[in-house]
Amino acid sequence: MNDFSQLGFENSHYEHTLRIREKAEIRKVAKYIAVAYLLTIVIPELLSYFIIDLASSYRSLKIISTVFTDPVLSMIYQIVVSAVIFTLPFLVVPMRLGLRLKELVSARRPEKGLTLPLLLMGIGFCAFANLAANTITGILGGFGIEVYSPTYASAKTLPEFILTFIAVGITPAIVEEFAFRGVVLGALRRFGDGFAILVSSLVFGLMHRNLSQIPFAFLVGIIMAFAVIKSGSLITSILIHLLNNGISVVISTVTEQMGNDMAVTVIYSLYFSVCLIFFFMGLGLLSGQGKEFWKPKRAEHILTTRQRVICFFSQPIMILNIALSILTALTLIIIT
C-alpha cells in the first residue's frame, strides 16, 4: 500500500511539474508575441505624431503633412509602415525564443497537389467570411450602431491603381502572412496545431482593431493557417491573401467607375457565385485526402485547450493589447 501511495505521489508531482513547465513555455511565447503585437499599435501612432508635430513646428516642413491627405503619398506611407511593423517586431520573437526563423517560417514549395485546391477553397472561404462580417455589421446597424469600415481612395489612373494594388493587395499579403501565419503560428505549433490555428487567428483578428474587420480577419486567419499547416508552406496563405485583397481592389475600382447600383449588385452577385463554386471545387479536390487530413495534429501536452488559451491571453501585456484593440474598435463606432 505504501509503495502504491508513493508511486501515486510521484506521478502527481511529475504531472504538476509538467503543468508548470508548459504554462511557463506558453507564457514566454505569449509575452514576445504580445510585444510584437503592441509595437504594431505603437509604431504607427508614434510615426503619425512625429510627422504632424514636425510639420506644425517647422513651416518649411509643412509639406510633410500631405502624406496623410495626398492619395499617392498616403499609399506609399502605408506600404512603408506595413513593411516595418509586420517584419521588424516579429523578427524579435524567434530570436528571444532561441529559435531559427526558418523553423517557424517555411517558404518552400507547397506539398504537391495541394496548392490549387487549398487556394480555391481559401478564396471561397474568404468571400463568405466577408458575408459573415457584413451580416454582423448589418445586425449592429439594426440596433443603431454604425461600424466604421476603413476605405482607400478609388484609383482614377493606371499608376494609382498599381500603387493601390501594391498597398492593399501585395504588401499585406506578404508581411502579414510572414508575421501571423509564419512567426506567430510557427511559434505556437509546439502546443498543438488546433491551438495554434485558433490563437494566431484571434490575435490576427484583434490586431485589425475595428468591428468591421475583426470577425472577417479571425475567420480568414483560420483558413489561411490551415492552408499553411497542410501545404507546409507560407506561399499558400500569401497567395490566398493576395488574391482576396487583389480581387477586392479590382472590384472596388470597377464598381466605383460604373456608379450604377444595379451593375454593382450584379458584379457582387457574380463574385460570390464564383467564390461558392471555387470553394466546393477545392473541397472536391481535397476529398481524396482522407479524414486525417482535416484533423489538426495533436501535440503532447498536459493542459487542456481551454487552459492553454487562457494561459496565453492572460498575460499582462496581452491583456493590454486586447484592451487597446477593443477601445480603438469602440471609438470607431457611431450610435445613431
Side-chain angles (χ1 to χ4, degrees):
M1 181 175 178
N2 290 336
D3 291 340
F4 282 107
S5 298
Q6 183 65 25
L7 182 60
F9 173 78
E10 289 176 354
N11 286 340
S12 177
H13 178 72
Y14 178 66
E15 182 177 324
H16 180 68
T17 302
L18 291 179
R19 187 181 296 273
I20 292 174
R21 185 179 300 170
E22 188 171 348
K23 283 184 177 181
E25 290 175 356
I26 292 174
R27 288 190 184 110
K28 183 178 180 181
V29 174
K31 179 175 70 174
Y32 293 118
I33 289 175
V35 169
Y37 176 0
L38 182 61
L39 289 174
T40 67
I41 298 174
V42 173
I43 291 175
E45 296 297 327
L46 289 176
L47 285 174
S48 62
Y49 174 80
F50 175 75
I51 290 171
I52 292 172
D53 183 64
L54 193 64
S56 61
S57 300
Y58 301 93
R59 291 184 178 181
S60 60
L61 296 176
K62 280 189 177 181
I63 191 173
I64 294 176
S65 61
T66 59
V67 74
F68 298 116
T69 56
D70 183 270
V72 173
L73 290 178
S74 178
M75 284 294 176
I76 294 173
Y77 176 79
Q78 181 180 328
I79 292 169
V80 173
V81 172
S82 294
V84 170
I85 66 175
F86 292 115
T87 53
L88 297 183
F90 288 90
L91 285 172
V92 176
V93 177
M95 291 171 56
R96 299 304 300 173
L97 294 177
L99 301 171
R100 291 180 296 176
L101 187 61
K102 66 179 182 180
E103 292 180 61
L104 306 181
V105 183
S106 173
R108 65 182 179 86
R109 180 180 296 181
E111 290 291 333
K112 188 177 180 180
L114 292 180
T115 305
L116 179 60
L118 286 171
L119 196 57
L120 291 171
M121 190 175 73
I123 294 171
F125 190 90
C126 286
F128 290 96
N130 200 1
L131 275 179
N134 289 340
T135 300
I136 293 172
T137 302
I139 292 172
L140 291 174
F143 288 96
I145 301 174
E146 184 180 338
V147 179
Y148 165 81
S149 181
T151 57
Y152 47 88
S154 177
K156 294 179 175 57
T157 63
L158 181 59
E160 285 184 5
F161 173 78
I162 293 172
L163 190 60
T164 302
F165 194 88
I166 293 171
V168 179
I170 297 175
T171 304
I174 295 173
V175 298
E176 290 181 12
E177 291 311 302
F178 165 80
F180 292 97
R181 257 65 64 183
V183 174
V184 175
L185 181 70
L188 294 171
R189 287 190 66 184
R190 73 180 80 175
F191 307 111
D193 283 349
F195 169 79
I197 290 172
L198 174 63
V199 171
S200 64
S201 300
L202 282 169
V203 174
F204 183 60
L206 288 166
M207 181 273 300
H208 283 77
R209 296 186 292 151
N210 69 77
L211 293 179
S212 65
Q213 286 187 305
I214 288 174
F216 172 76
F218 168 66
L219 291 172
V220 299
I222 290 174
I223 194 66
M224 291 192 290
F226 177 82
V228 168
I229 288 173
K230 294 304 175 181
S231 68
S233 175
L234 192 65
I235 293 173
T236 313
S237 68
I238 289 175
L239 289 174
I240 295 172
H241 200 147
L242 172 59
L243 285 171
N244 176 70
N245 287 17
I247 291 170
S248 175
V249 172
V250 172
I251 291 178
S252 295
T253 303
V254 171
T255 53
E256 184 72 23
Q257 296 298 326
M258 296 178 71
N260 185 307
D261 291 342
M262 180 61 71
V264 170
T265 302
V266 170
I267 288 174
Y268 276 104
S269 297
L270 286 172
Y271 166 66
F272 285 113
S273 297
V274 170
C275 286
L276 177 64
I277 294 170
F278 281 174
F279 180 75
F280 284 107
M281 282 177 62
L283 282 180
L285 291 170
L286 292 171
S287 61
Q289 296 294 327
K291 292 182 180 179
E292 290 301 317
F293 177 81
W294 303 98
K295 295 179 180 178
K297 183 180 178 182
R298 292 178 175 270
E300 292 295 327
H301 50 76
I302 300 297
L303 301 175
T304 64
T305 301
R306 179 174 175 273
Q307 288 171 331
R308 278 173 282 152
V309 170
I310 292 173
C311 184
F312 182 90
F313 285 106
S314 62
Q315 301 314 299
I317 191 167
M318 186 60 75
I319 293 173
L320 173 63
N321 287 334
I322 295 170
L324 288 173
S325 293
I326 293 174
L327 286 172
T328 303
L330 292 176
T331 62
L332 297 175
I333 64 174
I334 301 173
I335 300 177
T336 57

